[in-house]
Amino acid sequence: MGGPSKGGKGKKPEVSDHLLTVRRRLHDALSLGMSGLLKSVSNVMSFYSLCHVRVSDRKVLRWQSKDADTQAHALKTMAAFLDCVSMSLLQHPLIQDPILDTVVALGGILQSDNMRILNLAVGVTQKLVIILGNTIHQYPIIDITVSMSHLLSSSQFSLAISSAAVLNRIITSLGHTRGKVLEEVWNTLDKADSIGNVVSALQNYVAGTQPIEYFLAMACLLESILRKWPLSRYPVWSNTKLMTSLQHHCADSEASVVIGALKLFSALALCGHGALKILEIKEFLFLLVENMGNSHPVGVRIEALKLCQYLSRSEDTCYLLTDSYSEPLVQGIIGSMSGWKSSCSKKVPTNQLPLVLESCRAALLTRWAGKHHSFFWKHEIDRVLLDVLLGDFIVIQQAKVALSSDELVAIIYDNSADTRPFVWDILGNLAVHCEESFISKTSGALCYLDFLISCACSVARVLMQKGYGSLSSYMNELEPVSRAVVLMVFSPCKYIASQARYHLSETLRPFGYASLEYVLASLKLNAVGDISLVSDSLHTITNLISLACYSTLPKYHLIIANRDGITSLSSIIKICLNSNLHITRSSNAFHLQNRYCGRECCWSNVEDLEGEEVILFYSLLALSQLIRSSNIACKNHKVALGEFGSCHVCENCNAYDLIRGLQCILSHSFGSGTKWYAACILSFSGFYGSPSKLGQRMAKAIDENELADTNLKLSSGQSLLVHAPIILARCPFLLSKSILKNAEDNECVDQTGKHHHGKLRHEIQISDRVDNGSLLKLLEYVYTGLIQVDDNLTKPLKVLAKCCSLESLYDMLSRKLPKWGARFPSYNLSEALKTTGDQFSDIILEAKPMEGIAWNCSTCQSSTPHLHTHKIILSISCDYLRALFHSGMHDSYSKIIKVPVGWKALTKLVRWFYSGDLPNLNPDCLWNHLDPELQLEELKSYVELCSLAQFWCLEEVEEESFKALVPCISSLRVPSIELIRFAASLNQHKIVDAVVAGVASLYPKLREGGELEDLEEELVDLLRLQYVRYSQQSDT
C-alpha cells in the first residue's frame, strides 16, 4: 500500500535485467570488431569532434573488422539492444556508453561492400536514429551520414530508399539546431555529393519501371535538405532537366507523386531567385492552378495552396503569379475555401479545416495590389468569408431576425477560431485596395460586405473590452481584427470607409470612452518609459491600432487631446527613432508566424506597408488623423536648397522634436508607409516632398544659367532659364509637344540682359493662365524634391501640379491618404538617360575599350563603350567636372570625357550621378554560385570606382563603393589574390587590407598551392601577418 511510486517525479527510469543482459552481449559483440573500445564515459561526446577526441590514453574509436560474420553478429546484437531501449532511457549512464559505441560501430560497418551486411546495417541505423530523436546532434554521426549519402546512388532500390529515409530522419531531427553542428552536417552532405545523387535519382525516375517509394524517399530527403540549408537550393532550381521533370510529375495520376513534387517546388521557393525561376515556367503555373481544383485529392490541393503562398511572398512575385492565370487562381482559392458547404454542414467540418486554412493563407496574396482583387469580388469573396466566419450564412439570412452585436459575436465564436485571424486580414486587404467607386454586388439588409464590416467592428469592440484583464488570450486576435477595421476606415472606397466608420461608432457607443481612457493610459506608460515598447510590443501595437481607430472619429479627438494622447504619440515616435527600433508585424501577429517551414533566402520587399517599423507606422497613422485638431504644427520652419532648416520659434516645445523626427524619417531609409504618413503630417506645417542628397545637390542648379538649355517665357514677359534633362526626368509635361515651340539654335538673352554662354535649344511659352508664383514653386520642387508652401499658394500650385501630372505633389497638397502599398516617391533623374533624353545630351562619358566586344550605339557611331550624359547633372555632383566644364580650357569644350574605368564601373558611376545611389552587391545564391572570374570582374569595378572617386573628389562614391565591396570578399577563393594585386596597383590600400583580412585563413593553402609566387613581397608579408593574427584569435 505504501510502497514507492514507480513514476515519481525526477526519478530515473530503471534498467531491467533483460536490458542489462542485452547490453553485455552488445559489449562483447562490439569488442570483436572495435579498437580502443570506450567503456566508461559519463558524458556523451558532441559529434563534430568525434575524430579528434581521446578519452584518457585510449585510441580513437573505430570499427576495424571487415569480417562479414563478425559484422553480422554485431548488427544483430545492436538490433536486439535497440529493441529494448526507449528515448526515456537515453540519459541513463548505463545506456549512454553502448549507444555511443553503436553509433561509432555503424559508422565503420556501413563502409562494407557486402550487400547483405549493408542492408542489415541500414535497418539497424533506422532504428537508432528513431530512438535518438532530437538528441541526435549529441552523437558522432558524421561517418553514418557519409555512408548513407554514398548509398543513395545504390542500384538496389530498397537500400537507396532506406538510406534516404535515414538521412531524412537525421536532418529533421536536427530541428532548430544552429551553428557548428549544422555547418558540419552540411559540409558532410556537400562533400559526399548527396544533392547530386538525389537529383540524379529524381530526374531519371521513370514511373512504372521504378517503385514510387523510390521517388518519394528521394523527394522527401531533398525537400528536407532544401529547407534546412539555403546553399543547397541554387544547384537544384538552376537544373533545367530536373525542373522539367518535376513539372511533369505535377501532372502524375499518382497523388503522392504530385504531392512530393509540389513540396519540392515549395522548398525551392524559400529562395527568392528560386521562386522567380519557378514563375518563369508558365506551363507549371497552369498545373499549379489546376491542382487546386476540387477534382484533385485534398492533399494535392493543400500542397498547391501552400506553394501559392510561397510564390506570392513579395509584390513582384505575386504580380508574376497572377499575371497569366489570375481568375483561375482566385477560383481555386475560393473553391477550396468554400467547398466544405457541399457537405451540408452548418460550420467548417473538422476534416475540411486544413484545406480551408491553407486557402485562407493563400488568399493573403490580397495584401498586394493587382487585378486579382477584382476577381475575388467577382466570385463573391465577401459571402465566402461570411460563411467561414459564421457557418452557413444562408441559414442566418433565412431566419430574417436582426442580430444584436453580442449575438453576432456569439455566432462567430461558435465557429473555428483558427480561421478568424485570416478572415480579418483578407477583409482588410480587400478593403484597402478597393477603388474609390467600388460598390458591393449585394445591397440592403443582405449585403454581405456590410455584414462583414459589422462583424469586424463587433469583435474588435468585444476584444478591446476583454483586453483590459488579459494580455495573452485576446491580444492574438485583437491585432488582426482591429487592423482590419483600421484598413476599412482608411479604405479609398467611399462606401467601405463610411460603413466602417458608422459601425465602429455604433459598436463603441456603450463603452467607447472607457476603452479609450485605458488605451491612452497604457500608451502614456510607453511614452514616459515605464513600460518598454519592445518587451510589450504586441500590447503596444494593439493599443496604437485601437487609437488609430478612435482617431478616425472626430467626437473622440477632444478626449485624446485632453489626455495627452498626441503628446504620447510624439514621445513614442521619438523613442522609436532614438532607439532605432525595428519590429515587423509578422513578428507579433501569431497567425503569420512560421508560415514558411524553412530558412528563407534571397527575398526582398516582403513586408506590408507597415514595413519593419510597425510601432512607428501606427503612431504616425493615428497622428495623421489627429494633427488637424492639434496645435503642434509649425509654420516657422524653413526649407532652403532642398533641406529643412532649424526653427527657433518652436525649439523648446513638443512641435520641434516631432518635426525634427519626421524630417529624420524622410531623410533616411524607412519603409514607404512610414515615410508617407510622416510626409502627410509635415504637410500641415507647409512642407511637401522629401529631402534627398541628390535633390539637395540639384538645388544648386536652379541658379546655374551657364548650362541652361531651355527658356520658359512667362506671360509677364519674363524668362526663366532651366535645364531640360532635369525637367524631362522630373516633370516631362513641361517639355511636351503640346506646349513646346521648337526654337533650335535660337540664341537667347536672360533676365539680366546678359548674353547667354551657349545656344538655347528650346523655348517654351507658358500659358497666361499659369500663376507665376506657382510655376516657380513647382520648379523648385522639380529641382529639389522638397518645398515649403504658404497657404495662399497651395490651391493654385495644386492645380498646376495636376495639370503637369505630378501626382505625388498633387496628393500631398491635397492631403490625400496614401494608397496602401504605394511606394514613396524618390528623387531620381534616370529618365534623362533614356533615348528621349539623348537629344538633350551635351557630353559623352567614354569607358576603357572592351577587347573582343563590338559596341553599337543607336544615337551615335562611336564603337567605344560610352554613355550620353548631361553636363548640368554631372557638374552639380562633381567639383572636378564642374571646374573642368567652366575652365575655358580646350577640354571644357570637348564633347567626350575619357573615364579611366571599365564599362561596369562607368554604368555604376552614372547611376550614382542620376539616382544618388550605387548598386549594391548582394552575397546571395546567385552571387555565391557566380563564376569566380565574373565575381572578380564585378569587384574590380568597385575598386576602379574607389580610385576614380579619389581623383574626382567624390567622397560619397568612394565610401559606398567600399561598403558594397566588403561583404562579398569572403565568398572569393582563388581570385582573391588577383583582387589584392589589382587594388594595390591602383593604390587602394584600404581595400587591400580588407581583402587580406578576409582571406587570411587561407594563407597556408595559397602558399602551398604556389599562388603567392607572383605576388609582391610586401603583399605576401601583409597576408602572412594577418594569418598570424587570425591564428592567435582562433586560439583564444
Side-chain angles (χ1 to χ4, degrees), residues 95-143:
I95 302 302
Q96 288 180 353
D97 294 350
I99 286 288
L100 180 58
D101 295 343
T102 299
V103 172
V104 174
L106 283 172
I109 295 174
L110 282 166
Q111 299 175 28
S112 171
D113 295 328
N114 187 309
M115 297 303 293
R116 180 177 69 88
I117 296 299
L118 284 176
N119 278 293
L120 284 172
V122 171
V124 173
T125 307
Q126 280 185 297
K127 286 185 179 182
L128 175 68
V129 296
I130 291 172
I131 291 171
L132 293 182
N134 58 13
T135 67
I136 201 165
H137 67 278
Q138 300 174 7
Y139 295 86
I141 55 162
I142 290 297
D143 285 346

Side-chain angles (χ1 to χ4, degrees), residues 119 288 352 395 401 597 599 681 716 719 724 752 816 848 948:
N119 278 293
L288 172 64
Q352 291 286 312
V395 175
V401 176
C597 181
R599 295 172 60 190
I681 297 169
S716 63
S719 294
T752 63
K816 292 176 65 175
K848 293 188 294 188
L948 181 69

